[in-house]
Amino acid sequence: RRVNAASQRHDPGSLLNWVERMIRLRKECHEIGWGTPTRLSTGEACVFVHRYDWEGRALLFAHNLAFEPKTIALADGIEDVVRLDDLLSGASIEADAPTLSLELDASGYRWFQIVRS
């Protein structure tokens, strides 16, 4: 079957529309370009987590580079986190313990807005 930009533009689930949404979201996240980056320890060599802080706002990104799902526990760098709002799904994760548990799909990623105390 032939795939072209015109047909992808009309399909909300197409790769083209997904890429456009991700580019738009990235442009809306000023913390990435202007903020201070911090790498967080995950305890997993194949999971990369980092956050950006800028003008009282913060974002957290988690990337699983493994081909199997991973659950990680973050302890350092989350002291001020009350809740994580998932920028991609709209779901929220409450941070009510000294560690924050994140589940990542195989080769998955999650982008969060940090709600601070």
Side-chain angles (χ1 to χ4, degrees), residues 2 9 22 31 40-41 49 51 57 64 66 69 93 98:
R2 188 175 177 128
R9 216 174 288 293
M22 293 300 286
E31 296 87 343
L40 305 180
S41 176
V49 177
R51 70 180 275 173
R57 297 176 43 143
N64 180 11
I93 298 173

Side-chain angles (χ1 to χ4, degrees), residues 3-67:
V3 176
N4 62 42
S7 65
Q8 293 246 326
R9 216 174 288 293
H10 299 291
D11 177 4
S14 72
L15 177 61
L16 176 65
N17 277 309
W18 178 85
V19 169
E20 287 177 348
R21 281 191 306 273
M22 293 300 286
I23 290 170
R24 191 170 33 257
L25 178 59
R26 162 56 184 94
K27 285 182 178 182
E28 293 169 359
C29 295
H30 300 291
E31 296 87 343
I32 297 171
W34 296 97
T36 303
T38 306
R39 183 175 180 191
L40 305 180
S41 176
T42 65
E44 290 279 346
C46 57
V47 178
F48 176 63
V49 177
H50 54 112
R51 70 180 275 173
Y52 291 93
D53 293 271
W54 181 65
E55 293 189 350
R57 297 176 43 143
L59 299 176
L60 184 129
F61 299 89
H63 312 274
N64 180 11
L65 306 177
F67 294 118

